[in-house]
Amino acid sequence: MTTLTSAPPRDRGVGPLRSSGIFIGRSLRHSLRDGEGMLMAIALPVLLMLVFTFVFGGAIQAEGYVDFVVPGVILTCAGFGASSVAVSVNRDVTLGAMRRFRTLPIRSATVLAGHVVASVLRNLVATGVVIGVAIAIGFRPTATPGDWLVALALVALWILAITALFAFIGLVSSSPEAANGYGFGLLFLPYLSSAFVPIATMPEWMRPIATHQPINPLVESLRALLVGQGAAPVGVSLAWCLGIVVTAAALIVWGFRRTARR
Amino acid sequence: MAGTIEIAGLTKSYREPVLDGLDLTIDGGVFALLGPNGAGKTTLVSILTTLLRPDAGAARILGVDVVREPHRVRRLIAATGQEATLDELLTGRENLVMFGRLLGLGRDAGRRADDLLAQFDLEPAGRRTVGSYSGGMRRRLDLAASLIARPAVLFLDEPTTGLDPVSRRRVWDDVRSLASEGTTVFLTTQTLDEAEELADRIAVLRDGCIVADGTAAELTAAVGGQRLVLFDRDGAEVRSIDTDGTAASLDAALTTLTDAERGLHAGLRSPTLDDAFVALTQSPLTHREAAA
């Protein structure tokens, strides 16, 4: 016990940038340690893609279905991976870690930055794996490096947007199980778009819904950029993503204040 | 003289009042806040550790106001909650290093973490993830995490709830050595033995007010009187009856005995801290004046 002296408290605490960095490290370690979570984040989208190309692919569209479906699978994969953020944020809120962080001389909201940044990185890795597997099973992108850059930027932005939304869900849910459940709803968006089947094949009343929802312009942009099918509504996609990021950020600020009062 | 912790007129209500104009000054050493479940202990600690704003009143830690300057208060304190809030997926050492770095220790965090692991006898365990720790080890790591940047005041909210007797004693030893190094410890507990073992001063919280405040001996003396106690053949206490110590009240107590009880051995004893706690927390609320 020689190390404990009653020295006067010195300058304790760190700024928001430093604490964000520390929390990003924490969340990345979580991702690496949580083997099952990592497996789900990568294996699930890969499985999904295999199911769509090999099982449904034959029935849906004989030729070129791989090229048609991969852009949608990439975005669906982002949703799967990001959904785990709701659970990890909620665990911090409901199991007491957030309370502890709030007694430290730091900006405690930066713990959320840690979760979000780590999720974006984790999902970009998963996206890379999905693209690799896609190429292995016959996906033949025709994109120029510039197209790739725009496509990946859009994917990263979409991951950020959906991660932020899931972080908000985690912040305000009453338990990790509830967070998981609420988050599930968001994962249905890709199925209600042109990701897996052309919108023209859907019932007429459903078409406007499928067309005017955030993931549809993204799917179409990716498809246009990567395999040159159709037009790329990049502007609309950007607007949706940025809109979601801004909305989610505002909701997170509100939700964080609300948890502080709990 | 300014205290280490000064609380004046602190009030907090949810639907019902939880803290009701609480006044308290703590100078240092180990202070135990004793009270039954729901007495408002956690609410008080939450306000003092800047997690909750009071409705009225003020609290200062080393002269810094917890409502007006929470950020400065956070530089002075450390707090462990009732639930061990460590990171299960990180190792014991990584947990300590993280807290050290968040508190601005930078590169020293690693060295400091190793010192604390040694001090808390967690050296081999420090390399394992916390998910594999027993309840006692978690508490002790939690305590170590609170000490990483040498807080001036340490808040421990029911530090041994749910621990086995051996683990409890180890946590007690840790708290004692901290206090001997000059850290002011504010702990809440619902068990008397813990307060008696650790605290230089005990306050009893009830219905949002401090109803008694002093050393264990003072609290016991404040209850006063003598108890008429009946023992069975093996010397076990069968019944005890409060008296105020006068012959008349003793006489009255004797008349309440059943015929069977009249055959038992009888004796008088002074109240224990246990009796004091029961008297202070369960009798009708007429003992604000009981504060020593």
Side-chain angles (χ1 to χ4, degrees):
Chain A
M1 293 288 300
T2 49
T3 50
L4 279 176
T5 51
S6 54
R10 45 185 158 151
D11 203 17
R12 293 164 26 122
V14 289
L17 272 180
R18 184 69 60 81
S19 65
S20 298
I22 295 167
F23 284 128
I24 291 169
R26 167 182 184 253
S27 296
L28 283 177
R29 273 214 173 92
H30 285 179
S31 308
L32 294 175
R33 299 269 159 87
D34 178 16
E36 289 167 358
M38 200 69 181
L39 196 70
M40 288 286 282
I42 292 174
L44 222 57
V46 168
L47 266 176
L48 190 83
M49 179 167 59
L50 296 179
V51 165
F52 268 95
T53 47
F54 290 116
V55 182
F56 301 158
I60 294 170
Q61 243 181 1
E63 279 302 302
Y65 188 62
V66 175
D67 287 340
F68 178 83
V69 85
V70 165
V73 170
I74 290 171
L75 292 165
T76 310
C77 144
F80 272 126
S83 67
S84 68
V85 163
V87 177
S88 42
V89 167
N90 189 265
R91 293 180 72 85
D92 276 353
V93 173
T94 53
L95 302 182
M98 198 70 95
R99 260 179 89 83
R100 179 69 164 271
F101 293 139
R102 284 177 48 227
T103 66
L104 300 179
I106 56 167
R107 199 67 65 77
S108 50
T110 51
V111 69
L112 297 175
H115 285 300
V116 170
V117 172
S119 162
V120 170
L121 292 175
R122 191 171 61 227
N123 284 298
L124 282 175
V125 170
T127 304
V129 173
V130 166
I131 294 174
V133 174
I135 288 171
I137 62 168
F139 176 55
R140 292 293 169 261
T142 55
T144 64
D147 292 339
W148 271 109
L149 211 65
V150 175
L152 288 180
L154 279 180
V155 171
L157 201 58
W158 171 246
I159 293 173
L160 177 67
I162 197 160
T163 298
L165 265 186
F166 277 114
F168 168 71
I169 289 170
L171 203 52
V172 294
S173 301
S174 57
S175 70
E177 290 75 20
N180 204 15
Y182 291 132
F184 204 67
L186 277 176
L187 299 180
F188 274 101
L189 276 186
Y191 302 97
L192 261 181
S193 77
S194 73
F196 300 104
V197 293
I199 287 180
T201 64
M202 294 179 188
E204 199 153 337
W205 60 268
M206 200 187 271
R207 288 177 205 166
I209 304 171
T211 311
H212 302 290
Q213 57 114 322
I215 208 167
N216 195 57
L218 276 156
V219 170
E220 287 178 359
S221 299
L222 281 198
R223 196 174 281 141
L225 288 163
L226 296 183
V227 292
Q229 294 180 6
V234 174
V236 181
S237 306
L238 272 177
W240 269 113
C241 288
L242 292 175
I244 293 174
V245 169
V246 170
T247 310
L251 286 170
I252 285 171
V253 170
W254 172 79
F256 193 77
R257 294 214 177 117
R258 182 171 166 274
T259 45
R261 273 185 262 118
R262 274 214 285 238
Chain B
M1 189 188 76
T4 307
I5 303 174
E6 296 164 292
I7 302 166
L10 209 60
T11 301
K12 178 79 190 174
S13 318
Y14 292 103
R15 280 182 201 85
E16 289 173 9
V18 181
L19 299 176
D20 192 6
L22 189 140
D23 296 308
L24 189 64
T25 301
I26 297 162
D27 291 325
V30 180
F31 173 85
L33 184 68
L34 190 60
N37 270 329
K41 301 189 296 288
T42 299
T43 302
L44 178 56
V45 171
S46 299
I47 291 172
L48 294 177
T49 55
T50 74
L51 291 172
L52 206 58
R53 291 170 71 95
D55 299 336
R60 274 181 293 275
I61 295 185
L62 296 171
V64 185
D65 191 289
V66 297
V67 176
R68 270 187 237 128
E69 297 186 281
H71 198 78
R72 277 187 64 207
V73 168
R74 291 177 196 140
R75 291 175 194 273
L76 304 170
I77 62 164
T80 69
Q82 279 181 30
E83 65 288 82
T85 52
L86 296 155
D87 208 311
E88 306 239 321
L89 288 170
L90 300 187
T91 67
R93 188 175 187 279
E94 285 168 341
N95 266 287
L96 295 185
V97 170
M98 180 180 75
F99 277 104
R101 291 179 59 208
L102 286 172
L103 285 160
L105 294 189
R107 274 153 207 247
D108 291 340
R111 201 173 37 75
R112 181 83 182 122
D114 291 331
D115 287 350
L116 285 165
L117 287 172
Q119 181 192 324
F120 282 81
D121 213 5
L122 288 167
E123 232 163 4
R127 288 191 294 272
R128 296 208 317 262
T129 52
V130 172
S132 69
Y133 283 25
S134 70
M137 288 163 74
R138 279 164 201 246
R139 284 300 173 127
R140 305 184 63 238
L141 186 68
D142 213 2
L143 209 49
S146 297
L147 301 176
I148 194 121
R150 298 185 176 89
V153 183
L154 175 63
F155 291 90
L156 302 173
D157 197 5
E158 301 194 6
T160 63
T161 298
L163 292 191
D164 63 74
V166 177
S167 305
R168 286 186 87 198
R169 296 209 165 267
R170 298 204 65 168
V171 171
W172 287 352
D173 288 340
D174 293 334
V175 172
R176 270 190 288 259
S177 26
L178 276 177
S180 70
E181 305 281 338
T183 304
T184 298
V185 180
F186 182 115
L187 75 98
T188 72
T189 179
Q190 30 179 332
T191 67
L192 293 155
D193 54 340
E194 184 156 282
E196 207 167 6
E197 279 279 340
L198 294 178
D200 308 313
R201 194 173 140 207
I202 300 168
V204 179
L205 183 65
R206 183 192 167 178
D207 296 334
C209 297
I210 301 293
V211 292
D213 181 357
T215 62
E218 283 166 350
L219 292 192
T220 320
V223 174
Q226 291 282 315
R227 314 200 134 217
L228 172 65
V229 190
L230 299 168
F231 303 98
D232 65 13
R233 226 171 261 281
D234 303 321
E237 202 174 301
V238 175
R239 187 175 168 196
S240 83
I241 306 164
D242 282 349
T243 75
D244 63 11
T246 63
S249 78
L250 195 59
D251 190 39
L254 287 167
T255 61
T256 67
L257 300 186
T258 63
D259 286 342
E261 284 170 339
R262 286 180 180 277
L264 298 173
H265 289 278
L268 286 176
R269 71 162 165 78
S270 304
T272 60
L273 190 58
D274 240 319
D275 299 323
F277 183 61
V278 171
L280 288 165
T281 58
Q282 276 160 33
S283 63
L285 193 60
T286 55
H287 33 58
R288 280 214 200 198
E289 66 276 12

